[in-house]
Amino acid sequence: AGPNYRGYDLMKVFRTARAQSVESMRRFLTTYASEIGDSVDDQSVSDLLSEARRFEPLTWLEAAIFFLTLPHYKPESAARWHEMALDRWSKWQERKHLLSED
């Protein structure tokens, strides 16, 4: 899944401010697991889904930091980047508890 943790990369595919479709996520993760030669039984896919969901807060934090750096490169849109950074920061705050859940 790239240089990051697998669950982190996979969660970036599904990160959304809207309701997540668990059915779509499971279907994608089943295909993903199959393609990399992992088990596709219900428990394995559930474990992969849990792994990905645990990383959701960090994907929001990464996005907040990204938008905080953009004014350095595109200062003409600083107000927009600031607004987007605040939005992603609020999502990080809402979801950070997932990092410590079992």
Side-chain angles (χ1 to χ4, degrees), residues 17-97:
R18 298 180 184 151
Q20 294 175 341
S21 169
V22 175
E23 180 183 329
S24 293
M25 292 170 77
R26 288 187 67 83
R27 188 175 328 118
F28 178 89
L29 293 173
T30 299
T31 301
Y32 168 84
S34 175
E35 289 297 316
I36 65 168
D38 280 359
S39 179
V40 295
D41 62 83
D42 284 340
Q43 186 59 52
S44 295
V45 173
S46 292
D47 291 346
L48 185 54
L49 179 58
S50 293
E51 177 186 334
R53 293 183 100 167
R54 181 159 291 185
F55 281 100
E56 182 187 358
L58 294 178
T59 69
W60 290 116
L61 181 60
E62 177 200 36
I65 293 167
F66 171 78
F67 287 116
L68 286 172
T69 63
L70 275 182
H72 178 74
Y73 300 100
K74 296 185 177 191
E76 67 280 359
S77 300
R80 179 175 180 231
W81 308 141
H82 180 72
E83 181 181 329
M84 294 176 83
L86 287 174
D87 175 70
R88 282 20 174 224
W89 180 256
S90 70
K91 288 175 176 57
W92 150 254
Q93 291 290 334
E94 292 168 10
R95 307 297 284 171
K96 66 182 178 181
H97 67 92

